[in-house]
């Protein structure tokens, strides 16, 4: 049983090492070095998050070698001891010790930031005191906190990404509810608001529906009562924009059905709007065949109002041609009722 467990652990470690090696090669991380995570092979300030993750995944390498001896002027000699591996790392290439935590996670913008334990220290005589002082420094403490977040898979990027995702989901839900309210009101030909484009006007149907929804819906309730959320997206401009987007989407669907039909007649009627502008309403009849359900339905769809300056036969002919060309509908399919 124990042997089988060891085999599984070794297999897992092997697959993990294979994954790390594959990722590291793509990042220019040379795993063929004897000590690939040695500070000697990297720049002072690593900006690439993927390289940081790769270094941490690969783990520190603590060389078990005969360390070089540094001789002093008084004839005494000192060298690094593997005893210090619990507190620091030895760079073979730089022949000094450095703090991996500060190298990867120290905030370079802090006023108390110092490069000594990033570029390396080789004062072997006073190394114990220097390590003790460094471990108590604010720079190292803050870097250790950041590293702890990484170990918990809660990197700064991941936290920011989660916050962005939550914020995007919230506003997506808000927009969905705004669209539902607009569709509900317009389906019954109910005006969204009066002549005064003010949100505080309680007589507006849209405002009333939103406030009614807020009594039962936590998302709209949060939006209305959260003082930090200054933007509500309830203005008349947003309403008009949503209506325009919905109308465009519906009209595109109608035009697709017309294009797939065999033929269609056109019904036109001219009138004047409130500002005495002549306009023509265009309605198209067509047949939709549902081959899956073996069903045939006759539809009468409104495409919109279009401006017309004159009411001669040629003017109507040109207008029809422009409309069909604009919506990419084949005029050859047009038939007379």
């Amino acid at each position: 049983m124990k042997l089988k467990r060891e085999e599984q652990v070794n297999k897992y470690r092997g697959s993990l090492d294979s994954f790390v090696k594959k990722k590291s090669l793509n990042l220019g991380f040379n795993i063929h070095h004897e000590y690939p995570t040695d500070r000697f092979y990297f720049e002072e300030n690593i900006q690439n998050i993927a390289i940081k993750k790769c270094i941490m995944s690969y783990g520190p390498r603590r060389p078990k070698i005969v360390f070089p001896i540094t001789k002093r002027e008084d004839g005494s000699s000192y060298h690094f001891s593997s005893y210090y591996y619990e507190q620091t790392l030895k760079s073979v290439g730089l022949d000094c010790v450095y703090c991996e935590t500060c190298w990867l996670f120290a905030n370079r913008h802090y006023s108390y930031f110092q490069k000594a334990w990033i570029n390396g220290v080789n004062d072997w005589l006073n190394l114990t005191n220097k390590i003790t002082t460094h471990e108590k420094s604010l720079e190292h403490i803050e870097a250790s906190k950041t590293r702890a977040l990484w170990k918990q898979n809660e990197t700064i990027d991941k936290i920011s990404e989660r916050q962005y995702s939550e914020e995007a989901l919230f506003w997506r839900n808000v927009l969905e509810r705004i669209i539902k309210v607009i569709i509900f009101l317009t389906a019954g030909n109910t005006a969204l608001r009066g002549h005064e484009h003010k949100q505080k006007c309680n007589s507006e149907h849209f405002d009333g529906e939103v406030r009614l929804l807020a009594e039962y819906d936590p998302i709209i309730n949060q939006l209305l009562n959260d003082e930090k959320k200054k933007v509500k997206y309830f203005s008349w401009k947003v309403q008009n924009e949503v209506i325009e987007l919905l109308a465009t989407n519906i009209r595109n669907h109608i035009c697709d059905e017309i294009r797939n039909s065999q033929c269609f007649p056109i019904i036109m009627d001219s009138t004047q709007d409130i500002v005495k502008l002549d306009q023509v309403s265009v309605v198209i009849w067509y047949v939709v065949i549902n081959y899956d359900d073996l069903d045939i339905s006759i539809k009468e769809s409104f495409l919109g109002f279009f401006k017309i300056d004159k009411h001669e036969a040629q003017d109507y002919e040109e207008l029809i041609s422009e409309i069909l060309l604009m919506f990419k509908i084949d005029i050859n399919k047009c038939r007379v009722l």
Side-chain angles (χ1 to χ4, degrees):
M1 183 73 177
K2 184 177 180 181
L3 180 61
K4 186 176 180 181
R5 179 178 177 81
E6 290 179 354
E7 290 177 354
Q8 292 177 345
V9 171
N10 291 333
K11 183 178 180 181
Y12 170 75
R13 286 176 177 172
S15 60
L16 181 62
D17 288 342
S18 177
F19 171 77
V20 172
K21 288 179 180 179
K22 185 176 180 181
K23 290 290 289 183
S24 60
L25 286 172
N26 294 334
L27 293 170
F29 183 83
N30 195 337
I31 60 173
H32 299 295
H33 289 307
E34 187 175 3
Y35 308 108
T37 58
D38 194 321
R39 164 72 178 82
F40 174 74
Y41 299 114
F42 300 92
E43 57 188 4
E44 176 187 304
N45 186 11
I46 298 178
Q47 300 289 342
N48 193 321
I49 295 176
I51 293 180
K52 289 185 179 181
K53 290 182 178 180
C54 205
I55 292 174
M56 293 183 65
S57 299
Y58 205 86
R61 291 299 183 261
R62 298 178 171 90
K64 297 180 180 179
I65 59 175
V66 178
F67 299 104
I69 297 175
T70 302
K71 292 185 178 182
R72 299 172 63 88
E73 295 180 357
D74 58 2
S76 59
S77 59
Y78 300 91
H79 64 81
F80 177 78
S81 172
S82 58
Y83 165 79
Y84 294 106
Y85 276 148
E86 294 298 326
Q87 300 164 295
T88 185
L89 293 178
K90 174 71 166 66
S91 172
V92 177
L94 298 175
D95 189 24
C96 62
V97 295
Y98 64 96
C99 177
E100 184 183 71
T101 300
C102 293
W103 170 42
L104 296 177
F105 300 106
N107 191 330
R108 269 72 173 172
H109 300 291
Y110 283 169
S111 58
Y112 51 76
F113 172 73
Q114 295 181 355
K115 296 182 179 179
W117 281 93
I118 295 175
N119 293 332
V121 176
N122 59 0
D123 185 1
W124 312 126
L125 176 62
N126 303 305
L127 188 58
T128 301
N129 293 332
K130 287 184 175 293
I131 291 175
T132 303
T133 302
H134 175 67
E135 288 182 338
K136 295 179 180 179
S137 66
L138 187 58
E139 173 187 339
H140 181 77
I141 293 173
E142 292 297 327
S144 299
K145 291 180 181 178
T146 305
R147 181 164 190 160
L149 289 175
W150 278 62
K151 285 184 177 180
Q152 297 172 3
N153 260 344
E154 295 290 331
T155 62
I156 301 301
D157 284 347
K158 188 173 181 180
I159 293 174
S160 299
E161 183 180 351
R162 186 174 66 242
Q163 290 175 344
Y164 292 147
S165 299
E166 292 175 354
E167 188 74 9
L169 179 61
F170 174 81
W171 288 112
R172 190 180 294 114
N173 289 329
V174 169
L175 181 60
E176 181 182 353
R177 284 154 176 76
I178 292 176
I179 292 174
K180 292 291 186 181
V181 170
I182 291 176
I183 291 177
F184 172 75
L185 292 174
T186 54
N189 292 327
T190 303
L192 298 183
R193 57 187 178 271
H195 295 293
E196 294 184 4
H197 299 157
K198 297 180 180 179
Q199 184 177 333
K200 296 182 179 180
C201 181
N202 294 325
S203 61
E204 294 183 356
H205 295 121
F206 178 84
D207 182 74
E209 290 290 338
V210 169
R211 295 189 180 280
L212 176 63
L213 182 62
E215 295 183 11
Y216 305 95
D217 184 79
I219 294 178
I220 297 298
N221 185 278
Q222 177 185 349
L223 181 63
L224 290 179
N225 298 318
D226 191 349
E227 296 181 356
K228 295 180 180 179
K229 297 185 183 300
K230 302 299 182 181
V231 180
K232 308 295 184 182
Y233 293 106
F234 292 155
S235 69
W236 63 272
K237 292 183 179 180
V238 173
Q239 295 173 30
N240 288 352
E241 187 174 352
V242 171
I243 292 173
E244 183 65 27
L245 291 173
L246 292 173
T248 301
N249 186 271
I250 294 173
R251 186 159 51 194
N252 290 339
H253 176 71
I254 292 173
C255 290
D256 287 337
E257 290 183 335
I258 296 173
R259 296 187 199 102
N260 294 327
S261 64
Q262 296 299 318
C263 60
F264 58 85
I266 300 176
I267 302 175
M268 303 178 67
D269 187 20
S270 62
T271 184
Q272 288 185 343
D273 61 8
I274 194 171
V275 294
K276 306 300 181 181
L277 179 67
D278 286 336
Q279 56 185 4
V280 175
S281 64
V282 176
V283 177
I284 295 184
W285 280 6
Y286 56 95
V287 176
V288 175
I289 302 176
N290 191 328
Y291 294 97
D292 295 331
D293 298 335
L294 300 178
D295 180 58
I296 297 177
S297 57
I298 300 175
K299 293 191 175 183
E300 180 179 333
S301 297
F302 171 72
L303 284 186
F305 290 107
F306 302 91
K307 179 184 175 181
I308 189 169
D309 297 324
K310 299 179 181 179
H311 295 275
E312 301 293 333
Q314 183 178 356
D315 299 318
Y316 283 99
E317 179 184 351
E318 293 177 354
L319 179 62
I320 292 174
S321 300
E322 291 177 2
I323 294 172
L324 296 181
L325 182 63
M326 178 174 58
F327 295 124
K328 299 179 181 179
I329 298 175
D330 187 4
I331 194 173
N332 294 318
K333 293 183 178 182
C334 184
R335 299 292 185 268
V336 179
L337 286 174

